[in-house]
Amino acid sequence: MHHFKYQKGVLQAEAVPIPRIAQAIGTPFYLYSHATLEHHFQAFDRPFGRVPHLTCFALKANPNLAILRIFGRLGAGADIVSGGELYRALKAGIPPEKIVYSGVGKTDEEIEFALKKKIFMLNVESPEELRLIDRIAGRLKKKAPVAIRVNPDIDPQTHPYISTGLKKNKFGINIQESLAEYALAREMPNLEIKGVDCHIGSQLLLTEPFLEAVGKLKKLVAAIEGQGLTIRVLDLGGGLGITYDQEEPPHPREYARAILQALGKETRTIILEPGRVLVGNAGMLVTKVLYVKRGEEKNFIIVDAGMNDLLRPSLYGSFHQILPVVKKNARRIQADVVGPICESGDFLAKDRTLPLPRAGDLLAVMSAGAYGFSMSSNYNARPRVAEVLSRGDDFQVIRKRETYANLIALEQIPAFLKDKG
Ligand code: LLP
C-alpha cells in the first residue's frame, strides 16, 4: 500500500502532483511519502503489539535523518552496521537504548563509540570480535551488552548476494560453535550477555525460512539456558520482502502472526530489524527523459538518472516498475531504460514496454525507497540527487542535490604538484 496515485492522468505523491516538484527542484530526485512511511511502520509494528518487542529500523535501507525521525517518533529503534549509522541514528533522536549494532567488521573505534553511547546491544559476529569487545569494555570500565549473531544455515530462497544465513556466508557464528562461545562469554568479566541474534537474508517472500530460524533459535536458547545463563532478548533480524513486480510476500500481519505462533509462550523481548518493508514502496526515483534512441536491434530511452543513483538493477538484475509521470496515449515501444554512465551495465530496466516518451517527459522508477539513495555514489563525477518528502499537499527537500563544489570539497592537490608562482 502506498500513496502514489494518478489524479487526472498525473502521478501524485499524496496530494502533490509530481511535475510540480520537478519544476521546483529539477531532476532526478528521490521522493518519499510521509503517510506511506507512517502507515508501513504501523502495519509492521502493531501486529506484535501484545508482545514485548522493539522494531529497529535497519538504517542501511535508507538513513536519511528525516526518515529516521518519522520512525523514531513512532517508537522505532535502529539497527545499525557502522559508526556512521550510529551517528545518524543519534542525530535523528533515536534513543541509544533502542539501538542494536550488527556487522562482521566493527572496528575498535566503532565498538568504543557504541559502548560510550550505551547502545542496547552489540550483535557479535565472530569469536575474535567477542574477545575484542570484552577488552575494550574493560578498558572503558563498562559492561558491554552483547548477543551472538548465529548463522542458522537456512536457505532464505532469495538472491545469493542478499542471503546471509547460510554456512557459506560470512555472517554470524555457526550455531553449534556459538554454544561454546556463550560459555566462554560468560567467563569474560566485561560482557553482559543479553540475547541471541540472527538475520537470514533480505527480500524473503515466504514465512517458512523465518519460522525455521525461530525454531533453531528456540533450541539454542534452551541449550544456552541449560548452561545456567539467562537470555532476555531474541533478535530475529529483518528480511521481509516487498512487491516490486508480481511477488506476493506475506503481509506484515501474517509474518507477525506466524512468528508469534512459532515463538509460543515467549516472554523475552523480541527485536525485529526491518528495512526494505518499511521504506521500499514508500519511495520512488523521478527521472527525466533526455533522448529516445531507436536502434536496429534495440531501442533506448536515455534518462538523467543512472546506476550511480540506483544501483539495484545493475547489481542484482532487480526489477523496478517504471511509470510515466503524466499518462499519455502514445504508441508503446519496447526499450531499455538507461542512464548516462559509461558502462553497458548502466540500466534501470531492460526490454520494458512503455508509451513512447519524448525528451523532457518524466518517469517514475517505483519501489526505490530502500537501498536506492543509500547505495548511490558519485561515479562519473555525478552529484548525488536530491531527496524529497511529500506530506499532504506539501513537499520538502530532505537532502539537497549535491553541487559540483561538493564533489571536490574533500580533495587536495599536494604542494609538490602546485605550480610555482
Ligand atoms: N538486519 C541485518 C543484520 C541486515 O544485514 C539487514 C540487511 C537488515 C536487517 C535489513 O534487511 P531488510 O529488512 O531490508 O531485508 N542492498 C540489497 C539488500 C541488502 C540487505 C543487507 N542487509 C538490496 O538492494 O536488495
Side-chain angles (χ1 to χ4, degrees):
M1 215 289 269
H2 60 69
H3 295 255
F4 302 124
K5 299 230 160 57
Y6 285 101
Q7 188 85 33
K8 295 197 179 115
V10 178
L11 194 58
Q12 310 224 143
E14 305 191 21
V16 186
I18 291 173
R20 204 171 99 201
I21 307 174
Q23 219 157 33
I25 67 153
T27 56
F29 56 91
Y30 276 95
L31 172 59
Y32 313 110
S33 148
H34 182 269
T36 311
L37 291 162
E38 281 200 341
H39 173 84
H40 283 181
F41 182 82
Q42 278 155 350
F44 185 92
D45 190 65
R46 277 199 184 138
F48 287 97
R50 62 183 177 80
V51 176
H53 74 283
L54 182 59
T55 298
C56 293
F57 171 57
L59 252 70
K60 57 180 86 66
N62 193 324
N64 184 289
L65 292 184
I67 305 245
L68 301 182
R69 178 61 63 90
I70 294 172
F71 292 145
R73 279 167 57 158
L74 296 172
D79 163 48
I80 58 160
V81 77
S82 69
E85 286 192 348
L86 175 54
Y87 179 80
R88 279 183 171 278
L90 295 172
K91 283 283 176 202
I94 309 250
E97 66 274 12
K98 288 187 176 179
I99 298 178
V100 294
Y101 189 171
S102 318
V104 294
K106 304 179 192 80
T107 64
D108 291 36
E109 294 77 15
E110 287 175 319
I111 293 168
E112 189 170 327
F113 183 25
L115 292 177
K116 282 190 173 155
K117 291 294 172 190
K118 302 197 174 76
I119 69 165
F120 182 70
M121 182 166 95
L122 288 115
N123 290 335
V124 181
E125 304 229 14
S126 65
E128 280 193 27
E129 185 192 332
L130 196 64
R131 285 153 189 74
L132 178 64
I133 293 175
D134 180 56
R135 280 203 301 281
I136 295 176
R139 176 156 51 73
L140 298 176
K141 303 203 172 20
K142 287 184 183 299
K143 282 253 181 203
V146 295
I148 291 182
R149 174 169 175 182
V150 296
N151 183 331
D153 196 26
I154 290 169
D155 184 359
Q157 300 172 39
T158 183
H159 191 289
Y161 283 16
I162 52 178
S163 96
T164 45
L166 280 168
K167 264 193 192 149
K168 64 179 177 191
N169 300 131
K170 69 177 172 180
F171 300 96
I173 297 181
N174 170 300
I175 226 166
Q176 297 308 326
E177 199 185 330
S178 75
L179 208 51
E181 288 302 314
Y182 273 104
L184 283 170
R186 192 182 175 190
E187 306 306 320
M188 295 187 202
N190 310 303
L191 298 183
E192 178 203 351
I193 295 165
K194 270 209 154 144
V196 174
D197 166 53
C198 80
H199 167 80
I200 55 175
S202 198
Q203 182 56 10
L204 269 67
L205 298 172
L206 301 168
T207 43
E208 285 73 20
F210 291 114
L211 301 185
E212 219 185 303
V214 170
K216 289 197 175 183
L217 281 197
K218 274 174 78 170
K219 278 203 190 124
L220 175 64
V221 169
I224 299 169
E225 295 201 328
Q227 296 178 342
L229 271 164
T230 309
I231 296 295
R232 285 185 286 124
V233 179
L234 290 183
D235 185 339
L236 303 178
L240 184 57
I242 63 169
T243 303
Y244 286 97
D245 186 11
Q246 307 288 328
E247 305 90 334
E248 291 181 354
H251 188 278
R253 205 182 314 114
E254 268 174 67
Y255 162 85
R257 192 187 311 131
I259 285 186
L260 292 179
Q261 202 172 5
L263 283 170
K265 286 196 212 73
E266 191 54 68
T267 51
R268 296 178 182 86
T269 300
I270 312 298
I271 296 202
L272 303 142
E273 302 173 354
R276 187 189 319 264
V277 69
L278 300 188
V279 288
N281 278 322
M284 62 165 83
L285 173 64
V286 179
T287 182
K288 188 174 73 185
V289 175
L290 298 176
Y291 304 97
V292 178
K293 190 159 140 181
R294 316 289 294 265
E296 251 176 52
E297 270 195 31
K298 271 204 169 240
N299 300 313
F300 295 100
I301 297 172
I302 302 168
V303 297
D304 65 357
M307 66 189 281
N308 72 300
D309 303 307
L310 178 63
L311 184 60
R312 304 193 69 257
S314 306
L315 187 60
Y316 314 115
S318 316
F319 178 96
H320 287 262
Q321 199 187 0
I322 299 189
L323 300 174
V325 168
V326 179
K327 274 191 182 160
K328 55 199 293 188
N329 281 326
R331 143 179 90 78
R332 296 169 82 76
I333 61 158
Q334 202 185 54
D336 286 5
V337 181
V338 301
I341 301 276
C342 297
E343 301 222 16
S344 299
D346 175 28
F347 59 86
L348 299 177
K350 288 265 190 199
D351 299 317
R352 198 61 65 80
T353 305
L354 283 166
L356 177 64
R358 277 217 305 251
D361 285 359
L362 298 174
L363 297 177
V365 185
M366 304 303 287
S367 312
Y371 307 106
F373 188 90
S374 66
M375 291 174 77
S376 69
S377 78
N378 291 123
Y379 188 38
N380 279 199
R382 289 166 51 80
R384 266 177 293 190
V385 307
E387 292 180 283
V388 177
L389 179 66
S390 67
R391 181 162 176 267
D393 59 4
D394 186 21
F395 69 89
Q396 298 282 327
V397 172
I398 56 171
R399 191 180 200 272
K400 288 187 206 157
R401 186 181 307 286
E402 290 179 358
T403 63
Y404 290 155
N406 291 149
L407 290 178
I408 58 166
L410 302 176
E411 294 175 30
Q412 304 187 53
I413 296 180
F416 64 81
L417 288 179
K418 287 198 177 135
D419 295 332
K420 296 194 178 78

